[in-house]
């Protein structure tokens, strides 16, 4: 199966 | 003070329709050059970024930067009262306003409606989106993209997007079987809004949740074309231009093999 990643694992919080 | 007058209120209606189902409360940052909005969905999987430059407005004044915390459902109620060709004026005080005024004027000047929308406090993480070189850009009709996302939703909850040199393939599978839709790079361009452009540096093969893509296609009325930007192991960007004066960009994190 595939797992949904979160955007925060690609983009840093400012 | 902040004051912005939009000749075609329909544009603001369309912008709101394209963000409100993804982001309930949004921070509308206004400065001398533009209004920007960034917001994530509650599960932090998708993000919308809207830019509307001052040039889009007939009149635009922003003496000091001001951030308006908008509840999009409340704003939507007001904009439902506006006709597409109504003039919309947004007004807010300079410092920490707790409300924003919206004035709707009919084209013939015979009807004026004014509303005050209470602003909301929003504690949200703003994300820094890095400049990225994407492996593939696909430009296509926004209506066609909407159709593909809607059609494939019947077959599964995710879409696999595969780009090769000349084409882009959208695939979905589930209990009913498998569906593949392939678009080939247009050989000749009669109408730009109907053509397909595949600009590829490296092949990509990524999987995304259709639920979010279907929400992104709420922006279809904003532009005849849409651009998908893809890189392996990176969020997808779905961009709709707002004429020459801005854009709505959606970012969606990929689904990866466990």
């Amino acid at each position: 199966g595939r797992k949904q990643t979160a955007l925060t694992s690609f983009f840093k919080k400012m | 003070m902040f004051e912005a007058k939009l000749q075609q209120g329909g544009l603001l209606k369309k912008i709101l329709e394209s963000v409100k189902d993804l982001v309930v409360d949004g921070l509308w940052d206004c400065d001398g050059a533009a209004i920007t909005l960034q917001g994530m969905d509650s599960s932090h999987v998708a993000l919308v970024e809207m830019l509307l430059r001052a040039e889009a407005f007939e009149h635009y004044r922003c003496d000091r930067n001001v951030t308006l915390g908008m509840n999009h459902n409340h704003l939507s109620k007001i904009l439902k009262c506006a006709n597409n060709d109504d003039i919309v004026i947004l007004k807010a005080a300079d410092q920490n306003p707790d409300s924003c005024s919206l004035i709707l004027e009919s084209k013939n000047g015979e009807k004026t409606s004014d509303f005050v929308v209470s602003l909301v406090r929003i504690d949200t993480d703003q994300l820094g989106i890095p400049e990225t070189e994407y492996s593939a850009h696909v430009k296509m009709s926004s209506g066609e993209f909407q159709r593909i996302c809607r059609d494939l939703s019947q077959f599964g909850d995710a879409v696999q997007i595969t780009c090769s040199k000349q084409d882009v393939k959208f695939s979905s599978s589930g209990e009913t079987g498998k569906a593949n839709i392939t678009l080939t790079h247009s050989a000749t361009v009669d109408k730009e809004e109907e053509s397909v452009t595949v600009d590829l540096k490296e092949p990509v093969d990524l999987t995304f949740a259709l639920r979010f893509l279907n929400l992104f296609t709420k922006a279809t009325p904003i532009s005849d074309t849409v651009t998908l930007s893809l890189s392996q192991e990176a969020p997808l960007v779905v961009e709709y231009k707002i004429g020459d004066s801005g854009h709505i960009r959606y970012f969606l994190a990929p689904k990866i093999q466990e």
Side-chain angles (χ1 to χ4, degrees), chain B residues 144-194:
Chain B
E144 188 61 68
F145 179 61
Q146 183 179 41
R147 179 75 201 258
I148 290 170
C149 294
R150 195 186 67 201
D151 288 349
L152 289 182
S153 299
Q154 303 180 95
F155 302 95
D157 57 13
V159 59
Q160 180 187 8
I161 305 179
T162 332
C163 291
S164 60
K165 206 173 177 185
Q166 286 295 316
D167 54 37
V168 53
K169 185 169 79 172
F170 300 87
S171 312
S172 190
S173 57
E175 285 172 8
T176 54
K178 190 167 167 120
N180 292 308
I181 299 172
T182 304
L183 298 181
T184 306
H185 185 94
S186 304
T188 55
V189 179
D190 290 333
K191 289 184 184 168
E192 204 209 335
E193 64 271 22
E194 289 173 13

Side-chain angles (χ1 to χ4, degrees), chain B residues 28-40:
Chain B
W28 293 57
D29 279 315
C30 311
D31 65 22
I35 299 178
T36 53
L37 162 72
Q38 193 198 90
M40 269 190 286

